[in-house]
Amino acid sequence: MRRMTARPENTHQARLLRLLRDNGSNSRAQLGDLVDLSRSKLAVEVDRLLETGLVVADGLAPSRGGRRSHNIRLAPTLRFLGVDIGATSIDVAVTNAELEVLGHLNQPMDVREGPVAVFEQVLAMAAKLRASGLAEGFDGAGIGVPGPVRFPEGVPVAPPIMPGWDGFPVREALSQELGCPVMVDNDVNLMAMGEMHAGVARSVGDFLCVKIGTGIGCGIVVGGEVYRGTTGSAGDIGHIQVEPEGRACVCGNRGCLEAHFSGAALAADAEQAAREGRSAHLAARLETVERLTAEDVSAAAAAGDPVALELIRAGGKRLGQVIAGLVSFFNPGLVVIGGGVTGLGHTLLASVRTQVYRQSLPLATGNLPIVLGELGPAAGAIGAARLISDHVFSPA
Amino acid sequence: MRRMTARPENTHQARLLRLLRDNGSNSRAQLGDLVDLSRSKLAVEVDRLLETGLVVADGLAPSRGGRRSHNIRLAPTLRFLGVDIGATSIDVAVTNAELEVLGHLNQPMDVREGPVAVFEQVLAMAAKLRASGLAEGFDGAGIGVPGPVRFPEGVPVAPPIMPGWDGFPVREALSQELGCPVMVDNDVNLMAMGEMHAGVARSVGDFLCVKIGTGIGCGIVVGGEVYRGTTGSAGDIGHIQVEPEGRACVCGNRGCLEAHFSGAALAADAEQAAREGRSAHLAARLETVERLTAEDVSAAAAAGDPVALELIRAGGKRLGQVIAGLVSFFNPGLVVIGGGVTGLGHTLLASVRTQVYRQSLPLATGNLPIVLGELGPAAGAIGAARLISDHVFSPA
DNA sequence: CTTCTTTCTCCACATGCAGGACAAAGTTTG
DNA sequence: CAAACTTTGTCCTGCATGTGGAGAAAGAAG
């Protein structure tokens, strides 16, 4: 079960591994252009990487006007596991060393069932992916949980929506079970990493990634690195006050953003509208299902239901207020909006944009794109794979 | 005029220079404990630094149980100039290489008089300090301006309260005049650097530094480094909305924090209270001066005037609302409050604290000190010296 | 006064790396 | 098709740098 994946011996090797991860197969000559090492040094390091098995030869590159160069690539047998535990579902993906998703499973599950039950499920899903021939074992696993994490130890801390998880040694436990290195992070941070690696945020140094799911969170990226804050709770914007005497929130305060707009709040608003007969569309839907969800609102909006559209617009305005403040404060180069309710799509986006561009100063918004995430439900799992690959591809 | 200050040749030397700057005179042996270099290597680098003249011998250290070690220190003739241009006044300080303030001048001046007039004043003040024998020349100068700056070029960009400064080549011009390296930054960022170097924020990696002056700004420090944002406008929190249909602000919006609480807003509120006869204390003051200032409010509060106290409390609440949001988002390890109106002191602080601790989640506020700055009016100038010393003490 | 500790210098040795020479493999030109 | 030029990869030498030990210098402890 346990795989002894080699680790790079120095920063040069780590650099090369990451280049190969991000740019795919590459010729030795091309690598030479990228890394500013002498030919001899480069040859030595590449040879050592080939010896460790992390890297393998991959045929000849096309000629660039002279002798053809030898291609190398990351070992095609390397596998990373990306796990994204949401409030109501679990995503598990297998990737190769280039972080391309080879297989992806999604399973509904309430995180409140506790770490033991969730773990069982995650392991079962991982086993299923392995059984389907996608992987023989894993060289590393990243896992995201919907709450703050003490990052160095990989342990959730005081997660409001995850009773029973406080202090559970997620990293240690999963590492034991899978027999490979594991890193744990907040799900929102992983979404940000995913979008940074393979999504809209490629080549942006400083950006925000707002995730609207059951709750609302925000990933913060500073200089290409996720910023986690002093206690790992940075980006917890769900409980910023948007209405001085607003709705009561589960956190005990009033007027929190999450209480006014989030997957949960949207569903509640929709149900109320349906019951009060304000929306025929939503009422009809409520006849067939027990409880409405954010997806129902999204469907109603797509069908042109005015009440649903208004709910989304009002929510976008609230969200926009908060984002406007964050933009003034943080002056990001990009704002990404993602998460389960991306289905709300452009209605939401338009509403957020209007609010931000109106409220923030021109210097901060001047060239500020506000866009939807590109990776959809896979963002978290890809980010998780990226997290662990950064770890595995760094000197031991 | 031009002084050719030597620069370190490599990162080891830079490291040593900064240690000497931050810890003062030090024995070679002690440095050896701090830097993890072999004795021989350390000796070589120190010798080279002695050759350049950046570092000089400084007698013998007390014995640590054996042969006494030779002390070294930064050259006592090194001088940095720290300039802090506020909206209504200019601070100029001369420091030695350890960034101890040797001389400090303050001069009222409206920044709106434009870069040329302000420059003249700054140069006159620098000349005065030099004439008083504190410095023969400067080895570097840092300068802070009350608006966003394109940091790499050292040029203000679209500063709302500094008409005429947009695009003015501050760095270039000052460097020409003084004949030494110059760095330019936002005044709030420099205050943060000052408090980090010599104030309350020593040894804190991630913190916020809120400056309340004519306007309101916030310095952001991430991992010991100032974060400036994509266009250099990070920390511009004065125009975050605190009241949906609040007061009109100079920026064109309504309900901005600055419109409700800042040096300017406070003065305006106080005048109104005085005119309406709500405060005998403030009214009396208004008889002797033409316009009230934040200092007058501060004095009235110190004398127990209930209206002044209430103004401060209300302002603190507004400020607290915004800071609470930022704390949730950024999860800092410390919040420093400073700026001209620090005289408002503990009344303001109490009000802010109440609001933040009430509104933010326990995980973020659990161990979060909210304190007043320690350096008072010198913070900006010290931060400016620190900025340029970081530059001078880095490899060329 | 002797012994031990600490500091500092000097030196021999190892290591690591750059850069040139050269061979191998292709392309282009006449 | 041959000659000339380009690019790539390997080998090797020389230089630079840094490590760690030996030993001298300076002081503390007994």
Side-chain angles (χ1 to χ4, degrees), chain B residues 12 38-41 45 48 60 63 65-68:
Chain B
H12 299 309
S38 69
R39 280 190 307 283
S40 6
K41 175 81 176 145
E45 297 298 357
R48 288 195 191 140
L60 288 170
S63 164
R67 174 176 172 175
R68 296 167 63 190

Side-chain angles (χ1 to χ4, degrees), chain A residues 121-143:
Chain A
Q121 184 63 254
V122 167
L123 290 173
M125 292 166 83
K128 194 166 163 189
L129 286 166
R130 195 157 46 191
S132 68
L134 293 172
E136 296 189 358
F138 299 108
D139 302 281
I143 177 165

